[in-house]
Amino acid sequence: EHVPSGLVGRRAGSVYFGNGTGAAELRALAVDVIEEYLGPVVSAVAQVLLRYGQLTLRQVLDYGRKSSAIAPITSASSSNETSGAVFDKLTLPMVRSALVVLIRHGIVQLDAKSTEVIVDGKPKAKHAFYSICPRRALMLMRHSKIIECVRRTVGSKAAVLVEELLLVGSDSRRKVIRNVAYRVTKNLDESGVAQEAFADTLSNHPKLRDLQPPWEEELVPDTEPFDQVLERPVARVVIQACQSEWDALEDKRVILRKPTFSVKTVDEEKERELKSTNASRKRADASTGGKR
């Protein structure tokens, strides 16, 4: 059984697949979305890659510090504007962390390329280069719709798992499930969505019948360590319930593993077709000298 057709692989407007959308507008919108969802530091690193193309980690930092005097990439209607101070304050750990976030969300790709660089008289065979795909950034805007679609078609507990996975981009099954269990046990959701999703499971579980409802009766101290919280009865029940929900999400191909798990937000077959079409157009333009 595959994901319902309304969940992924649909064009939510020409901006996602380039019909009628210029490259400059696409980059500006991508920056706006990244800043809105991932913050100004990640947005600054994304702007450097959008402006200069494939770069090494050190080059991202160097070009980023030089970008403070350049007007930021942003759309005319945007309220977000990464200030020059953000570029000035970039450090190597900050850039590295921002790249990790972008890679986890599938927005940045890592590529090891052979080079002729000589270090201490010896050839250094490979450097890691980072490149960005602005269209992938636009998928961040679809997260709420994906979560709601999963809630309708799979269930509320599955939707909480998908929400957690979308927040980090990609991660291991164990980490995502443990994070959800921690959220429910500590009652961290102000909206109460996670608690509500697991309410029936917790209330009807034989080990928790004395706790009605469990997250009000079993209060967890703020200083209690993460692993210790997960040893509580409520957390163990949530972890057990999440295992079957995760299996259902995998069976429906809502989440994919490659090599860590991520939510399927785009139709990969259509994305390959788009890349093939663009490559064919470039070859045709090259053969005709840009004339049609």
Side-chain angles (χ1 to χ4, degrees):
E1 187 177 2
H2 292 282
V3 184
S5 59
L7 182 58
V8 296
R10 299 295 184 185
R11 284 168 51 181
S14 61
V15 68
Y16 287 98
F17 292 97
N19 296 337
T21 303
E25 290 83 354
L26 177 61
R27 289 196 299 270
L29 181 56
V31 168
D32 292 343
V33 171
I34 291 171
E35 180 154 348
E36 177 71 24
Y37 284 83
L38 303 178
V41 173
V42 179
S43 173
V45 171
Q47 287 187 57
V48 174
L49 291 172
L50 285 167
R51 184 173 281 122
Y52 297 104
Q54 282 193 337
L55 298 173
T56 64
L57 175 63
R58 177 60 65 176
Q59 286 174 330
V60 173
L61 177 62
D62 292 341
Y63 283 117
R65 288 174 173 172
K66 296 175 183 177
S67 298
S68 60
I70 304 175
I73 301 173
T74 187
S75 63
S77 60
S78 172
S79 59
N80 297 324
E81 187 170 322
T82 305
S83 66
V86 175
F87 292 102
D88 286 334
K89 294 178 181 178
L90 285 177
T91 64
L92 200 60
M94 290 170 65
V95 171
R96 185 182 290 110
S97 297
L99 288 170
V100 168
V101 171
L102 291 166
I103 290 171
R104 282 192 165 195
H105 283 278
I107 300 170
V108 163
Q109 293 79 43
L110 176 63
D111 184 24
K113 290 190 173 182
S114 297
T115 64
E116 297 297 328
V117 176
I118 305 298
V119 178
D120 296 331
K122 298 179 181 179
K124 193 170 184 178
K126 290 185 177 181
H127 272 282
F129 284 82
Y130 299 88
S131 59
I132 188 168
C133 177
R135 297 182 195 283
R136 286 298 185 101
L138 305 185
M139 296 300 108
L140 294 170
M141 296 190 296
R142 304 179 67 184
H143 285 186
S144 59
K145 291 183 178 180
I146 291 172
I147 293 168
E148 181 57 33
C149 191
V150 171
R151 182 176 288 110
R152 293 197 314 266
T153 57
V154 186
S156 56
K157 290 189 287 292
V160 174
L161 285 169
V162 167
E163 178 188 10
E164 183 68 31
L165 190 51
L166 286 171
L167 284 173
V168 296
S170 61
D171 213 333
S172 69
R173 170 177 176 149
R174 181 173 182 269
K175 286 184 179 179
V176 173
I177 290 177
R178 282 164 61 88
N179 286 342
V180 169
Y182 185 82
R183 282 171 54 190
V184 174
T185 307
K186 292 272 289 184
N187 195 13
L188 295 179
D189 285 357
E190 294 182 0
S191 63
V193 172
Q195 284 72 27
E196 184 179 350
F198 290 89
D200 291 341
T201 300
L202 293 170
S203 298
N204 297 324
H205 198 279
K207 293 183 179 180
L208 301 176
R209 284 174 181 168
D210 295 335
L211 303 176
Q212 296 291 337
W215 46 86
E216 290 183 2
E217 296 296 334
E218 190 176 58
L219 297 177
V220 181
D222 292 337
T223 57
E224 189 165 322
F226 183 87
D227 289 337
Q228 192 171 331
V229 172
L230 296 181
E231 291 300 320
R232 288 178 170 267
V234 170
R236 291 201 297 267
V237 171
V238 173
I239 289 173
Q240 184 180 0
C242 285
Q243 302 291 350
S244 58
E245 295 295 328
W246 189 281
D247 291 338
L249 290 168
E250 278 198 76
D251 290 342
K252 294 177 181 293
R253 294 185 60 78
V254 177
I255 55 178
L256 306 173
R257 182 174 187 173
K258 47 176 192 180
T260 55
F261 289 97
S262 60
V263 178
K264 182 180 178 184
T265 57
V266 295
D267 190 316
E268 295 181 353
E269 184 177 346
K270 286 187 177 180
E271 195 172 62
R272 285 194 296 269
E273 290 177 0
L274 176 64
K275 289 181 179 178
S276 177
T277 301
N278 289 339
S280 298
R281 287 175 178 171
K282 287 181 180 179
R283 287 194 296 268
D285 288 342
S287 63
T288 59
K291 298 179 180 179
R292 296 260 177 157

